[in-house]
Amino acid sequence: MAVRPARDAVAVLRLHGGEQDAALLHPAERVLAPAGSSARRRDFLGGRSAAALALQLLGRPGPVLRVGRRPLFPPGVLGSLSHSRGIVAACLVTTRADVAGAGVDVELTGRLTPATADLVCTASERASLPQGPEGERSLTVIFSAKEAFYKATGSLGLPRPPVFHDLEVTSCVPGAGTLLLRTADGLLPDGHTAHGQVRSLGPYVWTTVLVLRGSAASAASTAAGSRAS
């Protein structure tokens, strides 16, 4: 499944197939893949294959290498990877010069507990959670959005890494899947704002967050929600 969460940005979510994903990888990526049949290898192959598809839709070649444990995307591309339960991988890539950070996260609904809500949610977010299965999904969306935001800010050189309560999901616009996000005062550089999208695939929710610079923030949703062909 591929979508365009904003202009010149592509997000891909896919159920990956282990060793068959290796065929999608650049030779330089295959060298980096962990050996054996471990979950780490499956996650690596799934993430890099999702990245290969996303970059193809963006019209950019790979490879996606790494610096430490973080993926290193080609010059001119910002990106992020995520995995869930070893069978789902997601990638977000963008070539927009006005994007300061890009983050993606995918989560399986129903794995979080009420105790997680106390840790992850602000008081306002907790009060907005409905009862039952819809509440579980809403909690998963909030958690996933904050994980994606954390990844999006990783390259910004913030004075401190963000914590869960530094981001508040104030609402989700029905249909469009747009997440309205509020960040703690002084956390982001002046003029920077965070913009999110959420979508579902079966029991999974996946979120994308772009941090935009200055005046670009007002045009964040220019092409939000349109699907890649």
Side-chain angles (χ1 to χ4, degrees):
M1 179 178 181
V3 298
R4 295 187 180 271
R7 172 178 53 84
D8 297 330
V10 173
V12 166
L13 179 71
R14 68 188 306 265
L15 301 175
H16 58 82
E19 291 302 316
Q20 68 190 49
D21 292 333
L24 296 174
L25 270 60
H26 188 282
E29 295 172 327
R30 294 175 197 157
V31 173
L32 299 176
S37 58
S38 66
R40 286 184 61 243
R41 178 175 175 83
R42 290 194 300 271
D43 284 346
F44 181 92
L45 295 177
R48 290 310 195 278
S49 63
L53 294 173
L55 287 169
Q56 181 181 17
L57 291 171
L58 199 60
R60 291 296 185 97
V64 178
L65 303 177
R66 68 183 177 206
V67 176
R69 298 185 63 181
R70 295 180 58 183
L72 177 64
F73 285 82
V77 178
L78 279 178
S80 175
L81 298 172
S82 182
H83 316 90
S84 180
R85 285 287 185 137
I87 60 169
V88 173
C91 178
L92 169 67
V93 290
T94 180
T95 55
R96 289 179 57 169
D98 54 9
V99 174
V104 67
D105 186 71
V106 56
E107 302 289 341
L108 180 63
T109 302
R111 295 183 62 202
L112 304 176
T113 66
T116 307
D118 293 334
L119 172 67
V120 171
C121 298
T122 65
S124 177
E125 288 170 333
R126 287 198 304 273
S128 70
L129 290 175
Q131 298 297 314
E134 188 57 32
E136 293 181 352
R137 182 185 182 280
S138 296
L139 176 58
T140 305
V141 168
I142 291 171
F143 176 80
S144 184
K146 296 187 181 197
E147 288 289 301
F149 175 75
Y150 183 87
K151 293 180 182 180
T153 58
S155 60
L156 296 185
L158 301 182
R160 60 173 178 82
V163 296
F164 283 125
H165 288 190
D166 282 331
L167 181 75
E168 186 170 84
V169 180
T170 60
S171 70
C172 177
V173 179
T178 301
L179 295 172
L180 302 183
L181 308 176
R182 178 186 298 128
T183 58
D185 291 344
L187 177 66
L188 296 178
D190 288 347
H192 287 51
T193 52
H195 301 264
Q197 294 276 318
V198 61
R199 290 175 176 82
S200 299
L201 181 63
Y204 295 94
V205 298
W206 57 310
T207 58
T208 57
V209 172
L210 296 176
V211 177
L212 300 186
R213 298 183 177 95
S215 60
S218 61
S221 301
T222 300
S226 64
R227 293 181 181 273
S229 59

